[in-house]
Amino acid sequence: MAEKNYKTNDVIFKQNAVGNSMYQIIDGTVGIYVNYGMADQNMLTELNKGQFFGEMAVIEAYPRSATAVALTDVKAQEISADDISEYFKSNPDRIIEIMQHIAGRLRDLTNDYTEVNATIKAITPGEDTSKRGAGLLDKIKKFANIYSRTKNVSKIESVESLKKINKVSHSAGYKDNVEEYKKGTILFKEGEIGECMYDIHCGKIGIFTGYGTEKEKCLTELHADEFFGEMGMIDNVKRSATAVVLEDGTVVETIYLNGMKNLFKENPPKVEMILAHLSYRLRKLTNEYNDACKVVFDIYNAESGGAVGDDLKKRVESYKNNL
C-alpha cells in the first residue's frame, strides 16, 4: 500500500493496460473515461474523496476497461492485489464500502439496461419514424450514441471470477446461519425489502417473477456453491424476484452485511468469492447492456440509411422475445 500524488490531467492508468492495483481517493477528483484522448472520448463518471476506482483489477486479473485521469491535483491510496488481504484486515469497514460501491454500479447499470430494453420493445424497425414520440426518438439517439462511443472497448468474459467463486466448496470453513429447507419454502418474496444474501451449500433454488400468479416465470435455477440475493443485503432494495426452494434437503447459508467483517476474519476466501461474484455480475451485465445498445445502434443506422432488411427485423424480434 502506498500514497500516490497526481497533478491535474495526469493519467493514473490507461484503458486496456494490465493492472493489479485499486485506489481510494484521499483528496481531489478523478474522471473515468473511455477512448480518452480520441475524437470519441467520453467521461463515464467523476469520482471524489473517499471513493474507490480500479477495484476490478484487484478482484480479477483483467485489462483496465477505462482510463482514470486526475481532474484536479489528486492524492490517493494505492492498494495492490498482493496487499488486499492485509488492507482488509487493517480496514475491515472497507470490505463493506467496496461491496456497496460495486452494488451501486450494478444498480445504476440495471436501470440503464431496463431503459434500453424498454426502448427496443417500443421500436418496430422500418416503421414510419414520424409516428414516434420525441421521447422515444431521444432515447434511440442516446443508446445509439452510447454504443458508438464504446463499441471499441473490449468485451470481457468474466471467467476469472467464476474460477474464484468455484475454486472451493462454499460450505468449507467458517459459516453461520446455516439451515436446511423443504421443497416449496419461500426464502424471500418479490417486492420485499432485502436485508441479507444467501449461499447454497446443497440443493436447488428457483428464482421467479410473478410467483403463484398466472404470470409466473422461472428466471433461473441455482445450485450448490452459488450466491443470490446480494443486492438486497448490500443496498436494502426491494427484491426483484421470489426465491423458492425446489428440492427437499436444500441447505442455505444466510449472510448479513453486519456480519461481513467477522466473516472475513474467520473465512477470508468466502468474502473473496462474494467480491468475485459481484464482479462477475457487473461484467456480465455490462456485456448485456452493450449488446442491447448495439441493437438500437443497428436499427438507427439502418433506418438512417433507408435500408432496414429482413435479417435485422428478425434479429430485433428474436431479441424482444428473449426479454
Side-chain angles (χ1 to χ4, degrees), residues 140-201:
I140 291 171
K141 290 179 181 178
K142 168 187 170 181
F143 292 116
N145 286 334
I146 287 172
Y147 180 75
S148 69
R149 293 194 301 265
T150 60
K151 62 184 178 182
N152 294 322
V153 177
S154 299
K155 187 173 183 177
I156 298 175
E157 301 297 341
S158 198
V159 293
E160 198 66 30
S161 281
L162 287 177
K163 288 179 183 177
K164 286 187 178 182
I165 296 167
N166 297 324
K167 67 181 179 181
V168 295
S169 169
H170 289 204
S171 60
Y174 170 85
K175 46 193 169 291
D176 196 8
N177 302 313
V178 177
E179 292 188 57
E180 182 176 320
Y181 296 97
K182 294 180 179 180
K183 181 179 179 180
T185 302
I186 296 175
L187 296 182
F188 58 74
K189 292 181 179 180
E190 186 174 352
E192 290 180 344
I193 299 296
E195 60 177 8
C196 56
M197 66 177 289
Y198 300 88
D199 186 8
I200 307 171
H201 290 194

Side-chain angles (χ1 to χ4, degrees), residues 112-150:
D112 290 340
Y113 184 55
T114 299
E115 185 182 21
V116 70
N117 281 332
T119 300
I120 294 170
K121 284 183 177 180
I123 301 172
T124 301
E127 68 182 352
D128 184 354
T129 57
S130 66
K131 295 180 180 179
R132 294 174 183 164
L136 178 58
L137 291 171
D138 287 345
K139 287 180 181 180
I140 291 171
K141 290 179 181 178
K142 168 187 170 181
F143 292 116
N145 286 334
I146 287 172
Y147 180 75
S148 69
R149 293 194 301 265
T150 60

Side-chain angles (χ1 to χ4, degrees), residues 36-48:
Y36 182 73
M38 302 179 186
D40 56 350
Q41 170 181 304
N42 180 42
M43 187 168 78
L44 301 177
T45 189
E46 188 175 298
L47 304 173
N48 298 290

Side-chain angles (χ1 to χ4, degrees), residues 2 6 28 33 56 64 75 83 86 108 140 189 193 196 218 269 275 279 286:
Y6 302 93
Y33 294 84
M56 307 303 276
R64 304 287 190 184
K75 182 186 293 185
D83 293 332
E86 189 60 37
D108 293 343
I140 291 171
K189 292 181 179 180
I193 299 296
C196 56
C218 183
L275 286 168
S279 174
T286 298

Side-chain angles (χ1 to χ4, degrees), residues 13-56:
F13 57 72
K14 292 183 178 180
Q15 182 176 324
N16 296 324
V18 176
N20 69 342
S21 297
M22 61 178 278
Y23 301 82
Q24 185 177 29
I25 301 171
I26 298 171
D27 194 27
T29 304
V30 174
I32 306 298
Y33 294 84
V34 292
N35 303 329
Y36 182 73
M38 302 179 186
D40 56 350
Q41 170 181 304
N42 180 42
M43 187 168 78
L44 301 177
T45 189
E46 188 175 298
L47 304 173
N48 298 290
K49 182 178 178 179
Q51 292 185 281
F52 293 94
F53 62 99
E55 70 283 351
M56 307 303 276

